[in-house]
Amino acid sequence: MKRSLLTIFFIFIFHNLFAAEEIITFNIIHDPVSAAKFLSDIEIKASISPSNKVSYISLNYRLEGEISYKVIFMEKVEKELFRAIIPKDKVIPPVIEYFIVVMDIKGISHIIFRDPKNPQKIELGEEAPQVSGPAETGIEEEFALFAAEDVVYGAAKHEQKLSEAPASVTVISDKDIKNLGIISIPELLKYIAGLDQMILNPTFSFAGIRGLATRGNLLLVLVDGREVNIEFLGFPLWDALPVSLSEIKAIEIIRGPGSALYGANAFSGVINIITKSHKDVNGGYLDVRSGSYHTSYVFGMAGFSKENSGMLVTGESGRANKWSKPNEASLSGVRMNARMDYTLGETNFSFNTGHTIGQNLFFTALGPFDADGDFKYFKANLDHGELKTQIYWTGIGISSLIAKLPGIPPVPEMQALIPPITGDLNQYDFYTQYAITGVPWNRLTFGGVYRFNTYLMNILPDRIEREARAGLFLQDEFRPAENLILTLGYRYDWNSRTPAAQSPRINITYSPFATGTFRLSYGRAFRKPSFFEYGLEVAPLKEALGVTFSNPDLSNESVTTYEVGYVGTFFKKIKTNSAVFYNQYRDFIEYDPTELKYKNLNTDADTYGGEIEIKYEITKNAAFFTNLSYLKAIDRAADRPPISVPPDESNPNFKFAVGQMWSEIANTFGSIVLTAVDGFKKDMPDPNNTTLILLPKAITYTVDPYILLNVKLGYRFYQDKVEIGVYGYNLLFQKHREFPGVKWNKDTDGDGIVDYWEIFGGEEIGTKILGFIGVNL
């Protein structure tokens, strides 16, 4: 029966894939500007039709030789006439380059005049501007669209072509998110080369770049430039992030050490999530999803625009039950966000605020924690040319944080030693950067950050602890030739509670031909101990038994990386991105059960491996993709604990993904993706054999290799305003674990009789099927 269903589905997919597709196309009448007077405004006009299919139009321009393009949104002055002004202070000899892009109402971009590799050139002189004759085009060249590169920001903290980025980067667009069969960010990450993602329960995951994913705290996650790693724990709570899938514009996955720009915790890489503004939303949108395991989400979004300002408001309510206990919630909560943008001349202001309320179950080296609380934030940004400034506050209110630790049954005597935690965690952050771009062959960026954290909890001996952090960074991008870029970066980070750190980076990108770029990189990064590791002391437990958990003398963890990469395009439709690397990990922080505290155990390791991504643009609305990741580890331990899994066995050695995505084909959209992940081993406490408080018997668990088949099929109708469809997760119907887990028999009253059971670690994952309906308002 299952084979028959899959066969029918594949036949349906490939039948529709090559069916006739409805394509929005644009015509442009434009007088290309070929000459202008320097230090004078340049007006660019274009008549574009059909204008009712336009979401927005962007003019992309740069000084000839600059690394990246600047973007101006063209304003509508008549029915089909649009205009943009390149400001005079940006009009510097000898040549300005530009091209024009339209984003249609379906979220698909169209390069309608020139392209990034073949821009229109404006010669600058002291004479009045001259224009050539009018140029009229019909449907845009598909090859120009395929040749266009992704533009990334996070790798160098400014916009640049992906091939020129000083790191290995994968970009996931909002179109990809719409088409892929996912209901959460962690599910999306499983498709990415070089990124291991492990689901423990429906609302908690660990993720890691190039190995060590079971740690969960070795990568930095940003949402619109705001760090969302929880300072208390060191890792993000993925399903409690202040962002919903439907409000994401793009996700940049930056592999390799990022501390030279981002400081602490940008250890193995950075995930940069960019959300939509009012300019990306045409009115409103409502999305409802519901299905297996009582999973349900209701999402709403509305955008409002004026001449020089706009606002976007979003809200989502969600619930997901445990895999192991389908009638028991793992997450239940509500999140709300609001963003306002305002432009005053050449200065852009943006303000973001949000609130997430609910409950979550997460896992640490000590055991599981049930959390009930809320997240609040406020962020303000000011951008004026190359000056960027950001301030934000993040507040976490802990209504109840209950530790479910082996060896500590929840009887009154033990509850007195580790009572439910309540309190407030606050983070205050100021960031600024400025770039000097006076000459076309050099870009010098420098900036700094200051952060202040407070930890107010009922269990701390002094009830409140404080931490201050500061960092300064400098990055120089030097272009001695058109096809050669040398990037040098350095950052110094100071901390009031943990050691200071220095993070250098060197990168060379060389493009010997127009369709291919080689990259050679060296970098060093660090992870500072989290408060959970260096400062958490449970006052009753410390007074009664002398147990502290934390260790104020911890050193930073460090990684040194050597990497060679290649980004290229073949036959204008096949894009590749590949890299090989060698990493040296030192001073790992781990929990030592023999001393009941965290320590730098010197369980060091070297790893080497690589990843390759291939994407074939079959048509403008259909793409095939595949990627492969490989990792091997070498034990460099000077002091490995008695029971410890060698590093090569404690990480998946390979991950493979292959899939197809499509949109606007016979009014359908969707994807079919197959992912295969290697197994691994991990040592963990055996919660059923605990003899002393927090001193369980260690045991090695095995996670078997597994294969996932995920599918999404959607259909649009009623003038593309309504979409309905179905998600299918794990459609091979094979239950599996992605992180070790064991059935934990709980004795709540200490009488030796099992009262109920929990899963200690990762749950066994089943199959989910959800239906959805979306309405564009």
Side-chain angles (χ1 to χ4, degrees):
M1 180 63 179
K2 295 174 185 175
R3 291 185 179 180
S4 299
L5 289 173
L6 288 175
T7 302
I8 293 171
F9 181 81
F10 273 95
I11 292 173
F12 178 82
I13 293 304
F14 286 100
H15 170 76
N16 283 284
L17 178 60
F18 296 102
E21 53 179 309
E22 180 184 354
I23 302 175
I24 297 176
T25 61
F26 293 95
N27 294 305
I28 178 172
I29 299 175
H30 171 54
D31 292 339
V33 180
S34 59
K37 185 177 180 180
F38 75 87
L39 293 179
S40 297
D41 291 343
I42 300 178
E43 183 180 54
I44 307 292
K45 289 184 178 181
S47 293
I48 298 168
S49 60
S51 60
N52 63 336
K53 299 292 186 180
V54 171
S55 177
Y56 64 81
I57 303 173
S58 64
L59 174 73
N60 303 265
Y61 75 96
R62 69 179 180 184
L63 184 65
E64 185 180 42
E66 283 188 330
I67 296 174
S68 60
Y69 286 90
K70 299 178 178 64
V71 177
I72 299 176
F73 293 102
M74 300 184 73
E75 62 177 350
K76 193 174 188 179
V77 292
E78 293 179 11
K79 182 178 179 181
E80 294 182 345
L81 181 63
F82 296 82
R83 181 185 67 173
I85 302 292
I86 301 177
K88 59 185 178 182
D89 62 331
K90 304 297 182 183
V91 181
I92 304 173
V95 174
I96 292 285
E97 300 175 330
Y98 75 92
F99 66 97
I100 300 173
V101 177
V102 172
M103 179 69 73
D104 70 28
I105 58 176
K106 295 181 179 180
I108 299 173
S109 62
H110 306 253
I111 301 178
I112 62 170
F113 178 74
R114 298 290 190 164
D115 63 65
K117 292 184 178 294
N118 183 32
Q120 172 70 20
K121 296 183 182 295
I122 306 175
E123 301 287 342
L124 302 178
E126 296 187 5
E127 300 299 323
Q130 301 292 323
V131 298
S132 58
E136 182 172 352
T137 67
I139 181 171
E140 69 277 2
E141 292 286 339
E142 281 206 356
F143 282 153
L145 178 65
F146 293 138
E149 283 193 54
D150 287 319
V151 175
V152 299
Y153 178 87
K157 288 197 173 181
H158 68 84
E159 290 184 342
Q160 59 186 165
K161 293 185 291 186
L162 185 146
S163 62
E164 296 181 345
S168 178
V169 184
T170 296
V171 179
I172 306 298
S173 69
D174 55 349
K175 180 181 175 182
D176 297 332
I177 294 172
K178 169 72 76 174
N179 294 336
L180 287 169
I182 56 174
I183 61 172
S184 67
I185 295 175
E187 290 179 15
L188 173 66
L189 300 180
K190 193 171 293 292
Y191 301 154
I192 307 302
L195 199 155
D196 293 314
Q197 184 271 335
M198 300 169 181
I199 296 176
L200 279 74
N201 62 60
T203 54
F204 182 73
S205 302
F206 283 137
I209 291 177
R210 294 173 175 172
L212 307 176
T214 58
R215 299 287 305 281
N217 56 7
L218 297 179
L219 61 83
L220 183 67
V221 182
L222 307 172
V223 176
D224 292 329
R226 182 175 70 90
E227 293 187 18
V228 293
N229 292 49
I230 297 175
E231 289 276 7
F232 174 61
L233 298 169
F235 55 75
L237 293 178
W238 288 99
D239 286 276
L241 295 184
V243 62
S244 302
L245 277 176
S246 297
E247 62 185 298
I248 294 176
K249 184 175 182 178
I251 301 178
E252 301 174 348
I253 294 91
I254 305 165
R255 292 175 285 266
S259 290
L261 280 179
Y262 294 99
N265 306 328
F267 187 85
S268 61
V270 177
I271 295 180
N272 184 34
I273 300 173
I274 303 165
T275 66
K276 297 175 181 177
S277 72
H278 64 97
K279 296 176 182 177
D280 305 303
V281 177
N282 185 25
Y285 179 71
L286 178 67
D287 182 26
V288 179
R289 291 165 279 164
S290 183
S292 308
Y293 294 89
H294 297 277
T295 303
S296 63
Y297 292 90
V298 178
F299 172 80
M301 174 168 59
F304 312 92
S305 298
K306 289 187 177 181
E307 182 177 352
N308 59 349
S309 64
M311 187 173 186
L312 181 67
V313 179
T314 67
E316 181 180 71
S317 174
R319 177 187 173 94
N321 283 11
K322 296 179 180 179
W323 299 98
S324 57
K325 296 182 177 181
N327 294 317
E328 188 174 315
S330 179
L331 175 143
S332 178
V334 175
R335 52 186 153 205
M336 300 163 286
N337 290 296
R339 169 175 174 171
M340 186 179 74
D341 294 271
Y342 179 74
T343 300
L344 181 63
E346 298 179 23
T347 305
N348 298 313
F349 302 90
S350 67
F351 305 92
N352 299 65
T353 186
H355 195 179
T356 301
I357 308 169
Q359 64 182 64
N360 197 299
L361 175 67
F362 64 90
F363 190 80
T364 73
L366 298 180
F369 284 75
D370 265 335
D372 190 355
D374 67 325
F375 296 75
K376 301 176 288 292
Y377 76 94
F378 174 81
K379 182 173 73 75
N381 289 72
L382 182 153
D383 294 347
H384 181 86
E386 296 294 347
L387 174 66
K388 301 181 184 300
T389 300
Q390 173 179 272
I391 59 172
Y392 68 82
W393 161 77
T394 301
I396 302 176
I398 304 174
S399 301
S400 175
L401 183 62
I402 301 175
K404 298 182 175 181
L405 309 184
I408 305 183
V411 296
E413 295 80 8
M414 288 298 182
Q415 287 183 337
L417 293 179
I418 305 183
I421 301 172
T422 61
D424 286 288
L425 314 178
N426 289 280
Q427 175 181 328
Y428 306 88
D429 193 282
F430 172 80
Y431 171 83
T432 188
Q433 73 172 55
Y434 184 74
I436 299 174
T437 58
V439 292
W441 42 263
N442 196 77
R443 179 187 182 94
L444 179 65
T445 306
F446 55 92
V449 61
Y450 176 79
R451 178 174 302 163
F452 185 71
N453 299 314
T454 63
Y455 308 94
L456 173 64
M457 288 180 283
N458 63 315
I459 61 170
L460 295 176
D462 296 327
R463 293 193 61 82
I464 188 169
E465 296 289 343
R466 299 173 178 85
E467 175 190 10
R469 294 167 54 180
L472 296 172
F473 73 90
L474 181 70
Q475 177 176 270
D476 189 66
E477 297 167 68
F478 173 61
R479 190 190 289 263
E482 176 65 26
N483 60 350
L484 180 65
I485 305 173
L486 173 64
T487 302
L488 303 174
Y490 172 82
R491 175 160 168 156
Y492 179 82
D493 282 275
W494 167 87
N495 192 289
S496 64
R497 302 292 295 273
T498 61
Q502 301 180 66
S503 306
R505 173 167 79 167
I506 302 173
N507 181 83
I508 300 172
T509 58
Y510 174 59
S511 304
F513 35 85
T515 58
T517 300
F518 292 91
R519 184 185 66 256
L520 180 64
S521 301
Y522 158 84
R524 194 166 71 228
F526 75 101
R527 184 187 78 87
K528 78 171 200 66
S530 68
F531 182 78
F532 191 83
E533 295 164 331
Y534 80 76
L536 179 64
E537 293 186 355
V538 182
L541 191 62
K542 181 179 180 180
E543 294 170 3
L545 302 175
V547 176
T548 61
F549 296 132
S550 62
N551 181 357
D553 299 321
L554 292 173
S555 300
N556 295 319
E557 296 180 330
S558 69
V559 61
T560 302
T561 295
Y562 307 87
E563 180 179 337
V564 178
Y566 176 79
V567 177
T569 302
F570 300 95
F571 310 112
K572 297 187 178 180
K573 287 192 175 185
I574 300 176
K575 298 178 180 180
T576 65
N577 190 352
S578 59
V580 294
F581 61 87
Y582 191 93
N583 291 339
Q584 297 172 326
Y585 298 105
R586 299 296 181 263
D587 299 317
F588 277 153
I589 299 171
E590 298 182 11
Y591 182 70
D592 185 351
T594 64
E595 296 189 27
L596 304 179
K597 66 180 181 180
Y598 284 92
K599 293 176 61 179
N600 292 98
L601 288 179
N602 295 319
T603 53
D604 302 332
D606 291 357
T607 64
Y608 63 91
E611 58 263 345
I612 180 169
E613 300 175 313
I614 300 174
K615 187 174 183 179
Y616 171 40
E617 304 275 4
I618 302 170
T619 70
K620 190 170 62 175
N621 291 329
F624 167 87
F625 69 91
T626 185
N627 61 68
L628 174 67
S629 311
Y630 181 74
L631 176 77
K632 290 289 285 184
I634 305 169
D635 193 354
R636 302 294 190 192
D639 182 23
R640 188 168 294 283
I643 298 180
S644 180
V645 179
D648 191 50
E649 297 180 18
S650 62
N651 294 278
N653 291 128
F654 74 84
K655 187 180 78 168
F656 171 74
V658 59
Q660 194 160 358
M661 297 184 294
W662 72 93
S663 63
E664 308 309 323
I665 298 179
N667 290 336
T668 69
F669 62 97
S671 64
I672 178 168
V673 185
L674 191 73
T675 306
V677 182
D678 193 18
F680 65 97
K681 296 179 180 180
K682 182 172 176 60
D683 58 304
M684 288 174 57
D686 182 353
N688 297 308
N689 288 279
T690 299
T691 56
L692 298 174
I693 185 170
L694 294 176
L695 188 57
K697 175 184 176 182
I699 190 170
T700 298
Y701 294 95
T702 298
V703 175
D704 296 324
Y706 62 90
I707 298 176
L708 276 177
L709 175 64
N710 297 340
V711 172
K712 181 176 183 178
L713 178 61
Y715 180 76
R716 289 192 179 97
F717 60 98
Y718 193 59
Q719 299 179 339
D720 293 333
K721 291 184 177 181
V722 181
E723 52 193 29
I724 60 173
V726 62
Y727 298 97
Y729 181 81
N730 192 18
L731 288 185
L732 295 179
F733 303 96
Q734 296 179 349
K735 288 190 174 183
H736 66 279
R737 279 194 169 90
E738 299 179 4
F739 187 89
V742 63
K743 197 169 183 177
W744 181 13
N745 297 318
K746 301 295 290 293
D747 176 12
T748 60
D749 51 17
D751 62 0
I753 300 175
V754 175
D755 296 300
Y756 67 98
W757 60 271
E758 289 282 352
I759 292 296
F760 186 85
E763 298 182 25
E764 193 175 49
I765 294 173
T767 297
K768 271 189 178 182
I769 298 177
L770 288 84
F772 69 88
I773 180 169
V775 181
N776 290 291
L777 305 174

